[in-house]
Amino acid sequence: MARALVNLAVGTVVFFLVFLLSQSNPSTSPPRLLPPPHHGARPAMALPLFPSSKNSSRTFLHSHRHLLRSDSHSSHPNARMRLYDDLLLNGYYTTRLWIGTPPQQFALIVDTGSTVTYVPCATCEQCGRHQDPKFQPDLSSTYQPVKCNLDCNCDSDRVQCIYERQYAEMSSSSGVLGEDIISFGNQSELVPQRAVFGCENEETGDLYSQHADGIMGLGRGDLSVVDQLVEKGVISDSFSLCYGGMDIGGGAMVLGGISAPSDMVFSYADPVRSPYYNIDLKEIHVAGKQLSLNPSVFDGKYGTVLDSGTTYAYLPEPAFLAFKEAILKELNGLKQIRGPDPNYNDICFSTASSDVSELSKTFPTVEMVFGHQQKLLLSPENYLFRHSKVHGAYCLGIFQNEKDPTTLLGGIIVRNTLVTYDREHSKIGFWKTNCSELWERLHITGALSPSPSSSGKGNSTESPTTTTPDGSPHYDFPGKIQIGKIILDMSLSANHSYLKPQINKLSEFIAKELDVNASQVHLLNFTSEGNSSLVRLAIVPSDSLTYISNETATNIISRLAEHRVKLPDTFGNYQLVQWKVEPSTKQTWWGRNYMVVVMALIIIVVIGLSVYGAWGMWRRKQQTVNSYKPVGAAAPEQELQPL
């Protein structure tokens, strides 16, 4: 009995200690591994957040639980989502999320270094002006605040859960936690799900001035979108990112598992090594030659971290000096020039060509070698960035991480690379590809194929996108048809009411980018879809032709599908949702020209009648003149006719 009382007393004391600790104010987290701005090396442009220590400790426990219960062969749906913007130009990649009922759209920075997803709240008076309107909880019939509990930090009144995140460059975000329905877009197999997110009440620094609305946290933590969806059992414990290349921004993202390509390269990712996504980097090769480095150089502090929110790559001092020396040795024939920004000691080279496809003829290949000798080949676009002031010049996008022994690999390393964060099996996969064509290269149908519900009339031809043996997309037109019309359905990220006054200019820009006449592009429909817009266009043959050639049609569709059409920022980002072609109706010469012939005959008859009438009037006038005789004029003798 006494032992039971003692156990009860001890349990009560532990309970109150845990309660008091859980209600304490959020502590300031240790400095983020993101390098701070400093002279000599370029800082990262993106804004990855760091998780609090509290979330981190809980994350590891949940991670093991997921590993035990997950089934790698289970048939979970996934959420396919598009990425927007450009890592080097904008400093980040964004995706679109819709929150609430009815849905409110937001452009969120994709960040594997953050564990919370947040958007500006309508009540925020210390938030900047961003891409979309603030989230209005009162307009959502499904919104619920997260009430204060043992698993969260609470506000001063201990009524509602709060969050607080800080950046290494002194930016910060704080607000309350809410729960609502989150939708992932029309390419997602995953239906909308309830999830907890941050409703921001204050932001400082670059967060205040950035164009994007907020952050989508993909890190390890209970508030991470991935963790919440896995906890619900609606996706497998995996997600993938695919960033566009040097000349093509955007990309793709998948929440949930996908079938890994057979030649994907994997690295072990220790889930307890750090709060971040680590990889097992062992060696770096330049032009096929291994750098003379001890593998332990890549294991200092947080180890080698892969962070989607960081722009460039940062190596520990010994590794950077060895890499720099090897690159300079291989490029000793190139002219070295000053960088675009005098505040940084960028290492830049002048070349004769500005074509990205030609870079591999000038710059060496770089290989990153993981455990078990798994090698990731880096093309020049994975370690170079364009010189913004000198045409045909490029600069190294790999820098020294000051005195920090952490190896930080940002988005530049994985441009045009599908990166799969297979958290279920504690590994990260890499597959070189063209991210603007990811769905086609993975042989995932539905990304661009028309939906049956919009196939139109019976004379229209639905044309699917396939792939050639080398993986490039191919646009099939069944049979040898003469195309009379191309129907294009496009989604524009700009708000419908904002875009409406300028929509008539869209046809002109489309025509210019597709190298067709403005008279060939017709706006058929313009509707609203949430905070975005849907546009239906038709492209018809020019006046001198009766059909569009298959080559021209392929060129038009591929330009739009592969995002080679550049529209003004006014229209936002676009997505080719579906397309179809309608065959040309064959007509005889008389069928095409009968109206012209009829009009010509009518004109000829009218002119003929007019001329004939004028001639008749003239003849009568002449007869009248000839019948007049003056008085006394001699009359001709007339012969008498016999009776």
Side-chain angles (χ1 to χ4, degrees):
M1 184 67 180
R3 180 175 298 176
L5 290 174
V6 170
N7 290 339
L8 179 60
V10 171
T12 304
V13 171
V14 171
F15 173 82
F16 278 104
L17 285 174
V18 172
F19 180 81
L20 291 174
L21 287 173
S22 67
Q23 304 305 312
S24 61
N25 291 330
S27 59
T28 302
S29 301
R32 175 74 160 92
L33 59 103
L34 177 69
H38 58 278
H39 181 72
R42 185 179 294 270
M45 295 169 63
L47 307 172
L49 296 176
F50 57 83
S52 66
S53 56
K54 178 180 177 180
N55 280 343
S56 300
S57 62
R58 288 162 51 202
T59 299
F60 300 144
L61 296 176
H62 283 279
S63 177
H64 287 297
R65 187 170 72 249
H66 295 159
L67 289 175
L68 290 173
R69 74 175 188 182
S70 295
D71 180 8
S72 60
H73 302 288
S74 61
S75 56
H76 288 108
N78 59 34
R80 296 204 313 269
M81 305 168 69
R82 185 183 167 196
L83 296 182
Y84 302 83
D85 303 305
D86 183 273
L87 192 67
L88 297 186
L89 295 179
N90 304 96
Y92 47 70
Y93 283 101
T94 62
T95 191
R96 301 292 182 266
L97 277 186
W98 289 262
I99 303 176
T101 306
Q104 302 174 43
Q105 177 181 282
F106 299 96
L108 303 182
I109 297 172
V110 174
D111 187 7
T112 59
S114 175
T115 59
V116 64
T117 296
Y118 70 82
V119 297
C121 212
T123 56
C124 183
E125 297 180 355
Q126 300 183 49
C127 291
R129 189 173 182 178
H130 303 296
Q131 181 169 330
D132 297 293
K134 299 173 183 176
F135 177 69
Q136 300 187 54
D138 293 342
L139 297 184
S140 175
S141 61
T142 50
Y143 175 81
Q144 291 181 351
V146 178
K147 296 182 179 180
C148 181
N149 60 75
L150 294 177
D151 293 326
C152 74
N153 295 319
C154 299
D155 57 15
S156 58
D157 296 329
R158 295 189 177 181
V159 174
Q160 190 169 355
C161 291
I162 62 173
Y163 79 95
E164 181 179 351
R165 292 296 184 271
Q166 295 181 350
Y167 291 86
E169 60 277 1
M170 304 309 293
S171 296
S172 65
S173 170
S174 61
V176 298
L177 294 179
E179 185 182 31
D180 209 333
I181 293 177
I182 294 181
S183 305
F184 307 97
N186 56 12
Q187 288 189 329
S188 172
E189 297 175 354
L190 181 64
V191 298
Q193 300 289 328
R194 291 196 68 87
V196 176
F197 65 98
C199 201
E200 193 178 32
N201 285 328
E202 182 180 0
E203 59 188 16
T204 64
D206 290 337
L207 286 176
Y208 185 91
S209 59
Q210 70 185 15
H211 188 55
D213 299 314
I215 293 286
M216 181 176 181
L218 300 175
R220 303 179 190 271
D222 290 348
L223 293 179
S224 167
V225 170
V226 178
D227 281 74
Q228 293 187 63
L229 296 177
V230 171
E231 187 72 25
K232 288 175 174 286
V234 295
I235 66 170
S236 56
D237 198 0
S238 175
F239 68 93
S240 301
L241 296 173
C242 200
Y243 289 169
M246 183 176 285
D247 285 336
I248 302 178
M253 177 172 71
V254 182
L255 298 180
I258 60 174
S259 298
S262 59
D263 54 345
M264 177 171 269
V265 176
F266 286 95
S267 169
Y268 173 67
D270 189 347
V272 297
R273 174 69 174 80
S274 76
Y276 314 106
Y277 291 107
N278 291 84
I279 56 177
D280 189 24
L281 181 61
K282 298 293 186 182
E283 305 170 7
I284 294 180
H285 298 179
V286 176
K289 303 169 187 175
Q290 181 180 348
L291 301 183
S292 299
L293 294 169
N294 190 316
S296 63
V297 73
F298 302 111
D299 199 36
K301 199 175 180 180
Y302 292 111
T304 299
V305 175
L306 189 63
D307 188 357
S308 70
T310 299
T311 308
Y312 302 104
Y314 299 85
L315 301 178
E317 184 176 9
F320 172 73
L321 294 178
F323 176 78
K324 173 184 173 182
E325 181 181 358
I327 290 291
L328 292 177
K329 183 178 179 180
E330 293 294 325
L331 301 176
N332 59 2
L334 287 183
K335 179 183 178 182
Q336 193 168 340
I337 62 175
R338 294 182 61 85
D341 192 333
N343 295 319
Y344 304 111
N345 296 327
D346 290 328
I347 301 173
C348 303
F349 304 92
S350 178
T351 67
S353 174
S354 61
D355 188 351
V356 176
S357 62
E358 301 290 323
L359 289 181
S360 58
K361 297 179 181 179
T362 304
F363 293 90
T365 58
V366 175
E367 289 178 311
M368 288 189 168
V369 183
F370 308 128
H372 305 291
Q373 289 299 301
Q374 294 284 304
K375 296 181 179 179
L376 172 63
L377 178 66
L378 303 183
S379 58
E381 72 172 348
N382 296 121
Y383 63 86
L384 296 174
F385 65 92
R386 285 189 186 276
H387 197 297
S388 59
K389 297 181 179 178
V390 180
H391 184 71
Y394 300 87
C395 307
L396 283 185
I398 297 180
F399 306 96
Q400 180 181 330
N401 198 6
E402 282 194 324
K403 299 300 180 181
D404 191 330
T406 299
T407 300
L408 180 59
L409 304 180
I412 192 173
I413 295 293
V414 292
R415 287 201 288 198
N416 270 337
T417 304
L418 173 65
V419 182
T420 296
Y421 297 77
D422 188 349
R423 311 190 324 168
E424 179 178 346
H425 300 100
S426 300
K427 61 182 181 180
I428 295 178
F430 302 87
W431 186 56
K432 294 292 293 181
T433 186
N434 185 337
C435 289
S436 65
E437 305 167 0
L438 179 63
W439 310 134
E440 292 82 6
R441 292 177 178 266
L442 286 176
H443 304 286
I444 297 177
T445 60
L448 292 174
S449 57
S451 60
S453 62
S454 58
S455 59
K457 297 181 180 180
N459 63 343
S460 65
T461 304
E462 296 182 2
S463 304
T465 304
T466 60
T467 53
T468 59
D470 63 356
S472 59
H474 177 68
Y475 304 92
D476 293 325
F477 303 105
K480 295 182 178 179
I481 65 171
Q482 292 183 339
I483 299 172
K485 184 185 294 183
I486 304 173
I487 305 295
L488 303 168
D489 286 343
M490 297 173 61
S491 173
L492 300 173
S493 62
N495 183 273
H496 180 271
S497 58
Y498 172 77
L499 191 58
K500 189 174 182 179
Q502 308 173 70
I503 192 61
N504 291 330
K505 297 180 181 178
L506 178 63
S507 299
E508 301 176 11
F509 289 113
I510 290 287
K512 182 178 180 181
E513 287 290 315
L514 296 179
D515 296 326
V516 299
N517 297 327
S519 59
Q520 293 180 248
V521 182
H522 300 166
L523 179 64
L524 302 181
N525 198 13
F526 175 52
T527 59
S528 174
E529 185 186 56
N531 284 332
S532 59
S533 305
L534 285 178
V535 177
R536 170 165 286 194
L537 298 169
I539 298 181
V540 299
S542 62
D543 296 336
S544 60
L545 298 174
T546 59
Y547 65 90
I548 301 173
S549 68
N550 284 16
E551 181 181 358
T552 301
T554 300
N555 181 51
I556 289 172
I557 295 170
S558 63
R559 284 194 186 186
L560 287 165
E562 297 163 18
H563 299 98
R564 288 186 278 130
V565 171
K566 305 299 182 184
L567 298 178
D569 293 339
T570 306
F571 300 102
N573 297 291
Y574 78 89
Q575 174 75 25
L576 180 60
V577 179
Q578 62 184 20
W579 56 270
K580 64 182 179 182
V581 296
E582 295 181 359
S584 175
T585 303
K586 293 184 178 180
Q587 294 180 320
T588 62
W589 183 90
W590 172 254
R592 293 194 303 269
N593 302 289
Y594 79 95
M595 283 299 296
V596 176
V597 174
V598 170
M599 290 300 297
L601 289 175
I602 292 175
I603 293 172
I604 291 173
V605 170
V606 170
I607 294 175
L609 291 174
S610 300
V611 171
Y612 181 77
W615 179 78
M617 292 176 65
W618 180 80
R619 288 283 299 172
R620 291 186 61 184
K621 185 177 181 180
Q622 290 296 110
Q623 289 176 359
T624 303
V625 171
N626 292 336
S627 63
Y628 172 74
K629 297 285 191 287
V631 178
E637 294 183 358
Q638 296 189 14
E639 182 179 357
L640 296 175
Q641 299 294 327
L643 296 175

